[in-house]
Structures are given as C-alpha cells and as structure tokens.
Amino acid sequence: QVHLVESGGASVRAGGSVSLSCTASGSAHSNYCMAWFRQAPGKKREGVISAFTAGDRPDYADSVKGRFTISRDSAKNSLTLGINNLIPEDTAMYYCAVDLNPSLGCRLSNNFSSWGQGTQVTVSS
C-alpha cells in the first residue's frame, strides 16, 4: 500500500505561481508512475500531468502545456508540479495519484488506484 502526501496549495493572485509537491512512501517501488489531477467546483476531475518519478517524458494535458512543469526527486519518490502565470480557471483541488502497475508507460490514461487527500489552489483575479 502506498501513502501519498501532497503539499504546496495556496491562495494566490492571477499571474502568480505555485509549486505542489507529492511524495510517495510505504511501497517497495523505486520508480513510481505518478500523476497530478485537479477538480474544480462543479466540474469533472481532469488529468494534468503524469510521469515516472525516476525519469521518462511527462504526459501533459493539452490544456496545461506551456504553464505547467514538473520536477522530480527520485530519491524521495516525489513529483513536484509547478504552475506559472496562474489564472482563475486554475482554481481547483489538486490531487496526486499513483499507478503501481504501469504496463505501457506512465500516461494520464493509466489506471491510478492510489490517491492523496488533495491540496487546494485558489486563484483570485
């Protein structure tokens, strides 16, 4: 069983930046397929980005390309999501998730079965 801890949520003004971190523990894995999702009030959950914590090319949702970036710390099993030039539409609960048995890479379409509690990002205009 993997335990996920997210951090970094904040209330910021439009144009600002946030950095959201997710750290996985409790499993023997050394290279997690990890993803960030978000869910805005009244909207469906949306996949934002996925990547292996030890490398490989990230999979970005088309809607976030250009403003969203990732960094990773394979030693800590963590994936950090950076969001630049925030807009009010980025307001959402952001969730970290892990697929412990990725069969064909780490894509947003994977089956992410372990989830964190979420961290809130609120963007004011």
Side-chain angles (χ1 to χ4, degrees):
Q1 185 70 21
V2 64
H3 180 58
L4 301 174
V5 177
E6 302 119 326
S7 63
S11 294
V12 297
R13 299 188 71 87
S17 301
V18 292
S19 182
L20 309 179
S21 292
C22 176
T23 300
S25 63
S27 163
H29 286 69
S30 59
N31 185 20
Y32 288 89
C33 170
M34 189 176 285
W36 282 98
F37 290 78
R38 66 181 179 180
Q39 188 164 20
K43 294 189 176 182
K44 294 175 63 176
R45 187 173 62 198
E46 173 190 23
V48 173
I49 186 170
S50 63
F52 282 107
T53 55
D56 207 355
R57 183 185 301 177
D59 183 23
Y60 291 90
D62 289 340
S63 60
V64 304
K65 287 181 179 177
R67 295 190 299 116
F68 286 44
T69 61
I70 65 157
S71 61
R72 42 195 145 198
D73 186 334
S74 58
K76 295 182 178 179
N77 294 321
S78 70
L79 194 71
T80 298
L81 173 67
I83 311 175
N84 301 310
N85 193 21
L86 283 158
I87 59 177
E89 289 74 18
D90 293 322
T91 295
M93 185 70 80
Y94 285 73
Y95 296 93
C96 174
V98 163
D99 176 2
L100 293 175
N101 297 291
S103 58
L104 294 173
C106 187
R107 310 283 295 176
L108 286 171
S109 57
N110 281 31
N111 179 27
F112 294 94
S113 56
S114 297
W115 293 80
Q117 294 300 306
T119 187
Q120 177 70 36
V121 173
T122 302
V123 183
S124 58
S125 57

